[in-house]
């Protein structure tokens, strides 16, 4: 069976490997995607396809261009991949071509949220430009991109709900963070993430998440987060400040906190696919949560340790006052 990956990196493969000839033909690839992505799969009328892909041509030449495109796709993928119904309707049967968007919808329909997120590797038809297509084609593409990203965010939210109900708050926060990455302007998701991170004791991660959101909101829309969100983060900030600002000689529960008792988990660098940056943040949050309170160790926001550095940025030993 032909496998068509449309989410993230475009990939089209048959039994003998990559079908590069189709991937190198943007308009024909766009036509195949349009026939394959719709859920459920259905027949499309030729005159509608002509208007979408060859709006500048007259009826005769547009029909000839469509015939050539369909002949090319059948030759490259197999005659069974392009099905007809009568003389005017065309479809791509599900049993002839597997498409990740169809599989994502099917996974969600049976509650397989994690499988759906595995399939959502990025934006639909990312980087594909179909020259000469009508504006309605771009409208369709934009709407599908928004819909599928929303479906993936809903899957992440579903996993967060499941983990929270199962008493696994760290995993719940990880999936909530993923939902926020997919819907970066969704303040309701941010508010929930702040609560989860606060409940986990990971207040530095909560403050970072809020600061990133607030900067993006101000930069893109020129507004601040809602008052309720600001009040929530102010409460978190007040409770996190004493823990992060202990001087080296402040008394602790079982003695004195030394500089060596304070640890900051710095961000990890992800080399390769930037879509996995969220794993770096998740590891920082997880390590900081696990380390904080282990013996006399106190995990703090890295910015809290700046006072232990020289002006040149070189680390120096912290010492107690005599």
């Amino acid at each position: 069976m032909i496998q068509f990956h449309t989410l993230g990196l475009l990939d089209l493969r048959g039994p003998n490997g990559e079908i590069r000839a189709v991937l190198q033909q943007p308009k024909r690839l766009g036509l195949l995607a349009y026939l394959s992505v719709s859920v459920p799969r259905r027949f499309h009328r030729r005159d509608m396809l002509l208007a979408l892909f060859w709006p500048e041509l007259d009826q005769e030449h547009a029909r000839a261009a469509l015939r050539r495109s369909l002949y090319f796709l059948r030759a490259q993928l197999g005659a069974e991949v392009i099905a007809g119904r009568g003389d005017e309707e065309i479809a791509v049967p599900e049993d002839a071509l597997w498409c990740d968007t169809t599989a994502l919808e099917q996974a969600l329909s049976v509650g397989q949220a994690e499988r759906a997120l595995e399939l959502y590797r990025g934006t639909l038809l990312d980087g594909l430009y179909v020259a000469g297509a009508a504006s309605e084609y771009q409208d369709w593409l934009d709407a599908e991109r928004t819909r599928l990203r929303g479906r993936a965010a809903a899957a992440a939210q579903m996993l967060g709900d499941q983990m929270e109900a199962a008493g696994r708050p760290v995993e719940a926060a990880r999936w909530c963070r993923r939902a926020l990455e997919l819907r970066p302007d969704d303040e309701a998701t941010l508010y929930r993430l702040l609560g989860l991170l606060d409940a986990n004791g990971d207040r530095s991660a909560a403050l970072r998440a809020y600061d990133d959101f607030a900067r993006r909101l101000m930069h893109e829309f020129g507004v601040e987060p809602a008052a309720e969100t600001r009040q929530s983060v102010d409460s978190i900030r007040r409770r996190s400040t004493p823990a992060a600002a202990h001087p080296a000689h402040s008394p602790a529960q079982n003695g004195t906190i030394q500089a060596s008792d304070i640890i900051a988990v710095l961000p990890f660098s992800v080399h390769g696919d930037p879509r996995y940056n969220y794993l770096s943040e998740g590891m920082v949050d997880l390590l900081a949560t696990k380390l904080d309170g282990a013996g006399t160790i106190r995990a703090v926001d890295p910015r809290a340790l700046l006072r232990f550095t020289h002006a040149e940025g070189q680390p120096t030993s912290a010492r107690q006052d005599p």
Side-chain angles (χ1 to χ4, degrees), residues 7-287:
L7 298 168
L9 181 66
L10 283 168
D11 189 33
L12 184 65
R13 292 185 179 272
N16 298 320
E18 184 182 53
I19 306 175
R20 188 167 299 178
V22 178
L23 292 171
Q24 293 173 340
Q25 298 279 332
K27 182 163 288 190
R28 290 166 177 174
L29 182 62
L31 173 61
L32 178 65
Y34 186 79
L35 295 172
S36 304
V37 165
S38 59
V39 179
R41 299 276 179 88
R42 59 185 177 87
F43 282 90
H44 299 264
R45 290 190 58 80
R46 284 177 182 258
D47 53 2
M48 184 269 293
L49 296 175
L50 300 181
L52 281 178
F53 290 95
W54 295 277
E56 78 285 1
L57 299 181
D58 59 47
Q59 187 75 199
E60 180 182 355
H61 289 90
R63 282 185 172 270
L66 176 58
R67 283 195 301 271
R68 288 193 298 270
S69 294
L70 295 176
Y71 177 83
F72 172 82
L73 291 174
R74 286 189 176 107
Q76 295 295 326
L77 306 177
E80 69 281 359
V81 171
I82 304 295
R85 187 169 66 183
D87 294 331
E88 292 299 319
E89 293 184 311
I90 302 164
V92 172
E94 289 187 24
D95 58 358
L97 180 143
W98 177 94
C99 184
D100 52 1
T101 56
T102 306
L104 182 150
E105 294 286 2
Q106 291 171 344
L108 287 176
S109 69
V110 295
Q112 296 178 350
E114 195 160 358
R115 171 59 178 159
L117 284 170
E118 289 174 0
L119 290 164
Y120 190 82
R121 303 187 302 172
T123 303
L124 175 68
L125 302 178
D126 195 18
L128 179 66
Y129 172 68
V130 180
S135 60
E136 289 80 3
Y137 177 80
Q138 189 62 49
D139 292 342
W140 166 81
L141 183 56
D142 291 341
E144 283 297 292
R145 284 172 171 169
T146 300
R147 185 183 69 82
L148 289 165
R149 181 177 288 271
R151 295 287 278 159
Q157 199 71 56
M158 182 189 304
L159 286 167
D161 293 341
Q162 292 172 357
M163 294 299 102
E164 188 173 13
R168 297 163 64 180
V170 174
E171 289 88 343
R174 178 167 65 90
W175 288 117
C176 190
R177 185 191 296 278
R178 179 70 173 130
L180 185 61
E181 289 173 351
L182 291 165
R183 286 192 293 216
D185 300 325
D186 188 350
E187 192 164 339
T189 301
L190 170 71
Y191 189 84
R192 186 183 179 207
L193 177 61
L194 294 178
L196 286 168
L197 292 172
D198 187 22
N200 292 340
D202 199 353
R203 297 187 181 97
S204 61
L207 296 176
R208 288 197 303 272
Y210 173 82
D211 289 343
D212 290 343
F213 182 90
R215 279 195 299 270
R216 183 169 57 252
L217 206 62
M218 180 58 67
H219 176 73
E220 295 182 3
F221 304 106
V223 297
E224 292 184 329
E228 186 179 8
T229 307
R230 296 200 306 271
Q231 291 168 4
S232 175
V233 83
D234 286 345
S235 174
I236 294 171
R237 203 183 304 277
R238 284 193 300 271
R239 284 181 283 114
S240 65
T241 300
H246 276 300
H249 60 276
S250 295
Q253 184 176 7
N254 295 315
T256 302
I257 297 178
Q258 305 293 330
S260 59
D261 294 323
I262 302 174
I263 189 169
V265 181
L266 300 177
F268 291 86
S269 295
V270 176
H271 299 283
D273 196 329
R275 291 173 299 171
Y276 298 108
N277 285 342
Y278 72 95
L279 293 176
S280 167
E281 297 180 2
M283 286 298 296
V284 170
D285 296 343
L286 180 61
L287 286 173

